[in-house]
Amino acid sequence: MPLPTSPPTLPLDPSESDLLLTFLHERDHACPRCGYNLRNLTQPVCPECQESLFLKVGLQKLTLHWLLLALAPGTFCAIGLGFFFGMSLFRGFPPMPLEGVLTLVFLAISGTVGIWLALRNRWFLRQPTSTQITWAATLWAIHLTAFLYVAYFA
Ligand SMILES: [Zn+2]
């Protein structure tokens, strides 16, 4: 039984399609969906899996680790704050000294910054690596300082 054929989901500009077919002329390249060799493709559709194909510009290496490192402290603070409020809803809010209130405020600010940064991830990734490192290092320094303060002085 022949495979059902489907039209490309995104109609390509003829010149874009020509670029793709020119790129694959006499060149081995695997279909990103099924791995089929697209050498000498004649239509912008994979003959094996029927997936629409297009040529795109990509980065040699997209590094996400500075973003992930910058997001980690805020994410953990937001989870901690959520856990605290979740438990407090079941067991009631505990009486709290000023240090506890300040800790909750810190967790809330950190979680908000983490959410803000996660929403602006494309902006973050457009920054030079040195700026990304500065963001991650600054956020970690603030959180480690707060942690050490709470652990030893509060
Ligand atoms: Zn394919």
Side-chain angles (χ1 to χ4, degrees):
M1 190 169 104
L3 288 172
T5 57
S6 59
T9 50
L10 288 174
L12 291 176
D13 181 305
S15 65
E16 290 180 39
S17 176
D18 288 346
L19 287 172
L20 172 71
L21 301 180
T22 301
F23 176 78
L24 292 169
H25 182 71
E26 300 296 327
R27 179 178 286 150
D28 290 322
H29 198 82
C31 169
R33 163 91 49 202
C34 70
Y36 183 83
N37 189 344
L38 300 171
R39 185 182 189 88
N40 295 328
L41 196 70
T42 57
Q43 295 292 317
V45 177
C46 173
E48 184 70 17
C49 69
Q50 309 303 314
E51 193 68 50
S52 299
L53 301 166
F54 65 96
L55 201 58
K56 71 175 185 179
V57 176
L59 294 174
Q60 194 71 273
K61 185 179 80 172
L62 176 63
T63 53
L64 296 174
H65 52 269
W66 295 117
L67 175 64
L68 297 176
L69 208 57
L71 287 175
T75 302
F76 286 116
C77 286
I79 290 170
L81 189 65
F83 186 75
F84 173 81
F85 277 108
M87 292 298 290
S88 297
L89 286 177
F90 287 109
R91 298 174 163 249
F93 282 88
M96 196 172 293
L98 179 63
E99 292 83 4
V101 174
L102 291 177
T103 301
L104 292 179
V105 169
F106 179 83
L107 293 177
I109 291 171
S110 172
T112 303
V113 170
I115 290 168
W116 175 81
L117 201 54
L119 292 174
R120 295 193 45 144
N121 60 69
R122 289 185 181 277
W123 167 82
F124 186 91
L125 292 172
R126 279 196 304 269
Q127 303 306 308
T129 303
S130 60
T131 305
Q132 294 183 18
I133 292 171
T134 302
W135 266 88
T138 303
L139 288 171
W140 273 92
I142 290 169
H143 286 79
L144 289 175
T145 302
F147 175 77
L148 291 174
Y149 180 80
V150 169
Y152 292 106
F153 302 111

